[in-house]
Coordinates of all heavy atoms in Angstrom, one line a residue:
R28 N -61.1 -10.7 49.5 CA -60.4 -12.0 49.8 C -59.1 -12.1 49.0 O -59.0 -11.7 47.9 CB -61.3 -13.2 49.3 CG -62.6 -13.3 50.1 CD -63.2 -14.6 49.9 NE -64.2 -14.7 50.9 CZ -65.4 -15.4 50.7 NH1 -65.6 -16.0 49.6 NH2 -66.3 -15.4 51.7
R39 N -54.5 -11.3 38.4 CA -55.8 -10.6 38.7 C -55.6 -9.7 39.9 O -56.2 -8.6 40.0 CB -56.9 -11.6 38.9 CG -57.5 -12.0 37.6 CD -58.8 -12.8 37.8 NE -58.7 -14.1 38.4 CZ -58.3 -15.2 37.7 NH1 -58.0 -15.1 36.4 NH2 -58.1 -16.3 38.3
L40 N -54.9 -10.1 40.9 CA -54.7 -9.3 42.1 C -54.0 -8.0 41.7 O -54.4 -6.9 42.1 CB -53.8 -10.1 43.1 CG -53.4 -9.3 44.4 CD1 -54.6 -9.0 45.3 CD2 -52.4 -10.1 45.2
F46 N -52.7 -2.2 38.4 CA -51.7 -2.4 37.4 C -52.3 -2.8 36.0 O -53.3 -3.6 36.0 CB -50.7 -3.5 37.8 CG -49.6 -3.7 36.8 CD1 -48.6 -2.8 36.6 CD2 -49.6 -4.8 36.0 CE1 -47.6 -3.0 35.7 CE2 -48.6 -5.0 35.0 CZ -47.6 -4.1 34.9
N51 N -45.1 1.1 32.7 CA -43.7 0.9 33.0 C -43.6 0.1 34.3 O -44.5 -0.1 35.1 CB -42.9 2.2 33.0 CG -43.2 3.1 34.2 OD1 -43.5 2.6 35.3 ND2 -43.2 4.3 33.9
I62 N -50.4 -3.5 47.3 CA -50.9 -4.8 47.7 C -50.4 -5.1 49.1 O -51.2 -5.5 50.0 CB -50.5 -5.9 46.7 CG1 -51.2 -5.8 45.4 CG2 -50.7 -7.3 47.3 CD1 -50.7 -6.6 44.3
F63 N -49.1 -4.8 49.4 CA -48.5 -5.2 50.7 C -49.0 -4.2 51.8 O -48.8 -4.5 53.0 CB -47.0 -5.2 50.6 CG -46.5 -6.5 50.0 CD1 -46.1 -6.6 48.7 CD2 -46.5 -7.6 50.8 CE1 -45.6 -7.8 48.2 CE2 -46.1 -8.8 50.3 CZ -45.6 -8.9 49.0
T67 N -50.7 -9.9 53.5 CA -49.5 -10.6 53.7 C -49.7 -11.9 52.9 O -50.6 -12.6 53.1 CB -49.3 -11.0 55.2 OG1 -49.1 -9.8 56.0 CG2 -48.0 -11.9 55.4
I93 N -28.1 -3.6 51.9 CA -28.6 -3.8 53.2 C -29.7 -2.8 53.5 O -29.5 -1.6 53.3 CB -27.4 -3.6 54.3 CG1 -26.2 -4.5 54.0 CG2 -27.9 -3.8 55.7 CD1 -26.5 -6.0 54.1
M101 N -32.0 -8.1 47.8 CA -31.7 -7.9 46.4 C -32.7 -6.8 46.0 O -33.9 -6.8 46.4 CB -32.0 -9.1 45.6 CG -32.0 -9.0 44.2 SD -32.3 -10.5 43.2 CE -33.7 -11.2 44.1
G106 N -33.4 1.1 36.4 CA -32.2 1.7 36.7 C -32.3 3.1 37.1 O -33.4 3.7 36.9
S108 N -32.5 7.1 37.2 CA -33.0 8.0 36.2 C -32.5 9.4 36.7 O -32.7 9.7 37.8 CB -34.5 7.9 36.1 OG -35.0 8.9 35.2
V132 N -35.7 9.8 44.6 CA -36.0 11.0 43.9 C -34.7 11.8 43.8 O -34.1 12.1 44.9 CB -37.1 11.8 44.5 CG1 -37.4 13.1 43.7 CG2 -38.4 11.0 44.6
L140 N -33.2 11.9 47.5 CA -34.0 11.6 48.7 C -34.4 10.1 48.5 O -35.0 9.8 47.4 CB -35.2 12.5 48.7 CG -36.3 12.1 49.8 CD1 -35.7 12.2 51.2 CD2 -37.5 12.9 49.6
F148 N -40.8 -9.7 58.7 CA -41.3 -11.0 59.1 C -40.8 -11.3 60.5 O -39.6 -11.1 60.7 CB -40.9 -12.1 58.0 CG -41.5 -11.8 56.7 CD1 -40.9 -11.0 55.8 CD2 -42.8 -12.2 56.5 CE1 -41.5 -10.7 54.6 CE2 -43.5 -11.9 55.3 CZ -42.8 -11.1 54.3
E151 N -37.5 -12.8 61.1 CA -36.4 -12.1 60.4 C -35.9 -10.9 61.2 O -34.8 -10.6 61.2 CB -36.8 -11.8 59.0 CG -35.7 -11.3 58.2 CD -36.0 -11.1 56.7 OE1 -37.1 -10.6 56.5 OE2 -35.2 -11.4 55.9

Side-chain angles (χ1 to χ4, degrees):
R28 293 199 168 144
R39 274 193 292 281
L40 177 66
F46 182 71
N51 69 38
I62 290 169
F63 280 102
T67 299
I93 303 296
M101 174 178 44
S108 178
V132 178
L140 172 66
F148 295 93
E151 191 173 38

